[in-house]
Amino acid sequence: MRKTIIFSVVVFLMVVSVLWAQKSNVEVASGSSIELDYPNYKMYELQLKNNTGAQIDVEVQNKETGEFVRGFGLGPLGRVEVIVEQGSKIVFTNNSKKLGKLAIKMLNTDVKLKPKNTNEDRVSFTLVNPSNKPIPLIIPNVMNPNLSPNSSSGVDLKIGQELLFRNGLKRYVLLTVDETIKEGQKLDVYALLQQRKKELGLK
């Protein structure tokens, strides 16, 4: 019986140039993980673009304990912005048979978050885009995922977290995470978006 061994590589990126223009290309071998850490910065925001053609799993973890902070599946050719808090690192895992390819850009190193309630309730579920068009979303203080056509993305969010969409120059609430969303549930984002636009009288 063939076994897949998961390797973990810690990559320390020492940033000394102007960060708004910094871009990196990272490769993740099939069946392996890579950890990225920017030790010069307490908190930062990254833009990730998946050039793999297969899903890459993304997790923010506590540096000291490896405890899960948040995570999601970045779909094929998907793009997302994610915040890495003080004391955390970001981990990319490639469970596909393809060589993982990620484009990473540092957006901001002066990110401010609301204090985290360690007792907050959270739920893990999947955002599904069954349509042939990308669906950009905004999850304030977490990330701005762009759901690729015919793809899905796993998220782990706290109860009360809003998911927004943009119509023209305005932002609207698509949904608010609550107890009606069950652990592991799949949500059809395209159907929710069409329903919400109808309710708001949007085109």
Side-chain angles (χ1 to χ4, degrees), residues 4-152:
T4 301
I5 300 175
I6 305 297
F7 294 95
S8 180
V9 181
V10 181
V11 181
F12 292 98
L13 301 180
M14 305 300 292
V15 184
V16 294
S17 57
V18 179
L19 294 169
W20 288 90
Q22 179 181 329
K23 294 181 180 180
S24 303
N25 292 313
V26 174
E27 293 186 348
V28 188
S30 174
S32 69
S33 297
I34 286 182
E35 301 175 3
L36 294 188
D37 183 22
Y38 295 77
N40 285 358
Y41 300 95
K42 295 180 179 180
M43 188 179 299
Y44 49 89
E45 182 179 17
L46 300 175
Q47 181 186 82
L48 312 175
K49 188 177 188 303
N50 183 3
N51 296 317
T52 305
Q55 177 171 300
I56 297 292
D57 294 328
V58 181
E59 285 191 8
V60 177
Q61 299 178 359
N62 182 283
K63 284 185 186 181
E64 299 297 328
T65 66
E67 180 183 359
F68 178 88
V69 177
R70 78 171 63 86
F72 54 93
L74 184 56
L77 306 179
R79 185 191 301 268
V80 70
E81 295 169 5
V82 60
I83 291 172
V84 182
E85 298 94 336
Q86 183 175 0
S88 297
K89 61 186 177 183
I90 190 164
V91 181
F92 306 106
T93 302
N94 179 14
N95 290 315
S96 75
K97 296 182 179 179
K98 298 183 178 181
L99 175 65
K101 297 180 179 180
L102 288 166
I104 302 174
K105 181 179 180 180
M106 179 72 77
L107 294 181
N108 194 357
T109 59
D110 186 25
V111 182
K112 297 180 180 179
L113 292 179
K114 296 178 181 179
K116 182 178 179 181
N117 180 0
T118 56
N119 294 320
E120 67 189 13
D121 292 326
R122 306 182 70 88
V123 60
S124 297
F125 57 99
T126 301
L127 303 173
V128 180
N129 176 15
S131 74
N132 294 320
K133 295 182 178 180
I135 300 178
L137 297 176
I138 303 162
I139 308 179
N141 294 326
V142 179
M143 58 182 174
N144 296 332
N146 187 15
L147 302 181
S148 301
N150 301 298
S151 71
S152 61

